[in-house]
Amino acid sequence: MSTQERRYDVAVVGSGAGGGMVAKVLTEAGAEVVLLEAGPMWDTARDSAMLKFSYESPRRGAKTPERQFGEFDAGLGGWSLDGEPYTVADGSLFDWFRVRMLGGRTNHWGRISLRFGPRDFKPRSHDGLGDDWPIDYADIAPYYDAIDRLIGIYGTNEGLPNDPDGIFQPPPEPRCYERWVKTACDDLGITCIPSRMSILTRPLNGRPACHYCGQCGRGCAAHSNFSSPTVLLPPALATGRLTLVANAMAREVTTDGRGLATGVSYVDKTDGNDRQVAADIVVLAASACESARLLLNSRSALFPDGLANSSGVVGKYLMDSTGTDAAGYFPRLANGPPHNEDGAGDHLYMPWWLDNRRLDFPRGYHIELWGGRRMPRFGFLDGIEKTPFGGGYGKPLKEAYRARYGATVGFSGRGEMVPNARSYCEIDPEAVDRWGIPVLKFHFEWSENELLQVKHMHETFHRIIEHLGGTPLTPMPTREEDFGILPGGRIIHEVGVTRMGASPRTSVLNAFCQAHDVKNLFVADGGPFVSNPNKNPTWTILALALRTGEYIAEERRKGNL
């Protein structure tokens, strides 16, 4: 193993939302930072396929093993990676999504940017399930405000008690089908409001407003939507104090005889050699489960069960969002004038609107809308053959499909899972990846809470579809089908395996995401989450990472780190 002679102030593993934010904060505070990224460099202006039409490829944009959300998607990776296996325990279903590239998942995510609410930080106090966070909304609100101003987000202030308002840019106008669905929601008493997404509708900090050209998941060459390489890393690089090391697959956190972190060892994927960077502070932001894997693989005489794991909690309390989908065909939306509805994601969504004390499940969900006349992707006009029209051939078939494209509207539910002791990850003692690094084994189980919640999602979808005179394209899933709940990991919101807490006996990190056992070790991804509300996690990962970065900077200034 070769060790670089240079010693850094901070080593960060992972260049996504958390790692990018910590690198920005600490370099601007004067620290020399080295950032390790397991994938290659990525430049959206150079590498994205933002303006390509599907017909420009013989595959029409279909997924490939290297890009499992489609060949034009900005995510290099997917549910399986060549040479990087993981295992799943008998009886469990869990799919682990990983992206290997500069900026990680921030390159292709949906940009839904929701704050957690006051009740989300104190779930146990509210209904007796799970655990409370050691912080509350007032602790994190200033950091949500700061990232609103730095990154930019559109939305509207609504005054909803557990869906806090923000510092919003004006939202885009709803599309035709979205306006129509809102009429049904208003009739049925379902809250339906403008979406909250980190896509600019006004210029901000040198970045232009969105011009609604294409699919945001392909990567925005104009930098109008948020990703770490377009918003967080440029100012860090501008300080001259950030060193990026791409294709660096982290193997373990190294420690000294005092039990302090001394750096990170990694495999240089370009030549297969082991290397090491030395640093005074280590921040893991590799994604929740990857960071847990690193800690569990960092064993020593002082830490025989893995680093920062005296509590035995590393890997425990794995959570994902619940998820399921349904769609309906609406004759009134057929024969509309041809037009394009690409760009800027969803314009409306439905936050949780009911009181769980009157329901048979404890936590809520939100609903995302999809449909309209967007550029068709690989497949048969987004499944238009499933509509009641049926089949046919020749000119009549083409005319029918032209008339009916855009008359299908879909609904996706994303709900909160209550953490349980049966969902966790651990090191598989019998499997390693291509570099000989032990891999994770997943155990995962939805409880009755989540199954009943997803049943309620489908009942809501069907109520809306039928209220608008539509035809559901799929029947109500049965209990034997687990009400259509997707396997764990499928929503790509896995969090909670290095949870924060007040006690070192029951948690890995303190309220500043600092390891109880190792004072110069921090985690800045979704791992510190104590609960996983029905709000997409990225905005909270960013806010926590900003708070952690400022805490590290202040502790360095005081000489405590």
Side-chain angles (χ1 to χ4, degrees):
M1 178 186 298
S2 64
T3 302
Q4 296 183 11
E5 293 183 0
R6 181 178 179 182
R7 184 175 185 84
Y8 295 89
D9 296 319
V10 184
V12 180
V13 181
S15 60
M21 179 62 80
V22 167
K24 176 185 181 299
V25 172
L26 292 178
T27 52
E28 290 180 339
E32 296 287 339
V33 176
V34 60
L35 192 155
L36 305 179
E37 165 53 50
M41 300 296 284
W42 173 266
D43 183 328
T44 54
R46 181 192 63 210
D47 301 322
S48 80
M50 185 175 80
L51 299 177
K52 281 188 177 294
F53 288 99
S54 295
Y55 61 72
E56 292 183 52
S57 165
R59 291 181 292 270
R60 299 293 191 268
K63 66 182 180 181
T64 67
E66 296 78 23
R67 298 190 187 202
Q68 296 176 21
F69 270 73
E71 67 175 308
F72 299 136
D73 189 76
L76 305 182
W79 314 105
S80 59
L81 296 177
D82 186 31
E84 296 189 51
Y86 58 90
T87 62
V88 179
D90 292 343
S92 288
L93 289 175
F94 191 85
D95 298 313
W96 190 21
F97 187 87
R98 292 160 293 170
V99 163
R100 301 289 190 233
M101 62 195 298
L102 187 70
R105 301 178 190 180
T106 66
N107 291 289
H108 82 127
W109 69 303
R111 275 82 185 182
I112 297 173
S113 305
L114 306 174
R115 297 185 182 204
F116 290 4
R119 201 164 61 220
D120 296 327
F121 289 98
K122 303 296 175 186
R124 186 174 183 84
S125 297
H126 183 69
D127 61 18
L129 298 173
D131 286 295
D132 290 343
W133 295 54
I135 60 175
D136 56 28
Y137 179 73
D139 294 314
I140 201 74
Y143 299 93
Y144 281 133
D145 290 348
I147 61 173
D148 285 359
R149 293 190 182 96
L150 169 69
I151 295 172
I153 177 174
Y154 70 68
T156 50
N157 290 319
E158 302 284 344
L160 301 173
N162 199 44
D163 295 274
D165 294 328
I167 301 168
F168 295 125
Q169 296 191 344
E173 290 292 324
R175 301 177 175 92
C176 174
Y177 74 91
E178 292 171 327
R179 291 180 184 276
W180 198 47
V181 170
K182 178 168 170 53
T183 65
C185 292
D186 291 345
D187 291 344
L188 296 170
I190 299 171
T191 303
C192 183
I193 63 174
S195 298
R196 297 169 173 182
M197 308 189 81
S198 46
I199 300 170
L200 300 183
T201 57
R202 296 289 184 275
L204 180 70
N205 297 330
R207 296 159 51 216
C210 175
H211 57 285
Y212 307 99
C213 69
Q215 294 88 343
C216 297
R218 294 180 172 196
C220 183
H223 300 179
S224 299
N225 66 26
F226 167 72
S227 72
S228 176
T230 58
V231 179
L232 302 178
L233 297 182
L237 288 166
T239 67
R241 290 187 282 270
L242 176 63
T243 300
L244 286 175
V245 182
N247 295 301
M249 186 69 198
R251 182 185 292 279
E252 66 177 296
V253 178
T254 55
T255 54
D256 62 15
R258 299 170 297 168
L260 295 175
T262 57
V264 180
S265 68
Y266 66 94
V267 179
D268 185 336
K269 292 165 66 174
T270 63
D271 58 18
N273 288 324
D274 278 351
R275 305 188 193 285
Q276 183 173 337
V277 292
D280 294 335
I281 299 166
V282 172
V283 180
L284 302 183
S287 81
C289 295
E290 198 71 71
S291 291
R293 179 190 179 197
L294 265 169
L295 292 176
L296 292 171
N297 277 328
S298 302
R299 300 170 190 258
S300 64
L302 281 176
F303 303 104
D305 297 320
L307 191 59
N309 195 30
S310 64
S311 63
V313 175
V314 174
K316 302 295 175 56
Y317 304 108
L318 172 62
M319 295 171 280
D320 189 24
S321 298
T322 61
T324 196
D325 312 287
Y329 172 71
F330 300 89
R332 283 191 61 186
L333 290 176
N335 297 299
H339 60 284
N340 179 273
E341 294 180 323
D342 273 335
D346 306 327
H347 295 183
L348 295 178
Y349 88 114
M350 295 87 126
W352 181 235
W353 69 100
L354 295 174
D355 185 343
N356 286 91
R357 290 173 296 186
R358 301 173 181 173
L359 299 168
D360 58 0
F361 57 94
R363 305 282 172 84
Y365 59 88
H366 76 257
I367 301 174
E368 301 166 12
L369 285 171
W370 43 276
R373 293 173 176 271
R374 308 188 197 201
M375 181 163 64
R377 298 169 296 179
F378 171 78
F380 215 67
L381 291 173
D382 290 343
I384 197 171
E385 76 281 4
K386 299 175 184 175
T387 66
F389 167 71
Y393 61 90
K395 185 178 179 181
L397 178 68
K398 293 180 180 176
E399 291 175 345
Y401 279 1
R402 286 194 182 97
R404 293 164 185 256
Y405 187 60
T408 298
V409 178
F411 304 85
S412 295
R414 302 290 182 256
E416 178 171 354
M417 170 187 183
V418 177
N420 66 67
R422 302 172 299 282
S423 297
Y424 62 97
C425 57
E426 61 181 350
I427 296 298
D428 188 324
E430 300 178 351
V432 296
D433 65 14
R434 68 165 64 176
W435 301 286
I437 304 173
V439 307
L440 286 180
K441 181 176 186 177
F442 289 95
H443 305 252
F444 197 82
E445 182 177 314
W446 297 119
S447 73
E448 185 75 357
N449 295 330
E450 288 80 44
L451 297 180
L452 293 175
Q453 180 197 73
V454 169
K455 175 175 178 284
H456 192 274
M457 289 182 193
H458 277 284
E459 292 168 347
T460 303
F461 301 157
H462 279 242
R463 284 176 64 207
I464 296 172
I465 293 170
E466 291 162 5
H467 187 79
L468 292 171
T471 301
L473 297 183
T474 51
M476 278 284 296
T478 65
R479 173 170 283 281
E480 289 68 32
E481 298 167 319
D482 286 339
F483 301 117
I485 194 170
L486 292 170
R490 273 284 153 179
I491 307 302
I492 320 179
H493 291 170
E494 73 278 7
V495 297
V497 284
T498 55
R499 60 162 44 186
M500 62 164 67
S503 170
R505 292 183 293 103
T506 57
S507 59
V508 180
L509 311 168
N510 66 19
F512 289 97
C513 301
Q514 180 181 30
H516 289 300
D517 299 345
V518 185
K519 73 173 187 178
N520 65 340
L521 175 66
F522 296 79
V523 179
D525 48 35
F529 284 29
V530 181
S531 64
N532 192 21
N534 71 84
K535 326 285 174 58
N536 304 44
T538 303
W539 221 238
T540 300
I541 291 173
L542 285 162
L544 287 175
L546 172 56
R547 185 170 181 264
T548 295
E550 291 188 355
Y551 174 79
I552 294 172
E554 180 63 15
E555 290 298 291
R556 286 188 73 239
R557 189 188 66 77
K558 295 177 180 175
N560 295 333
L561 288 174

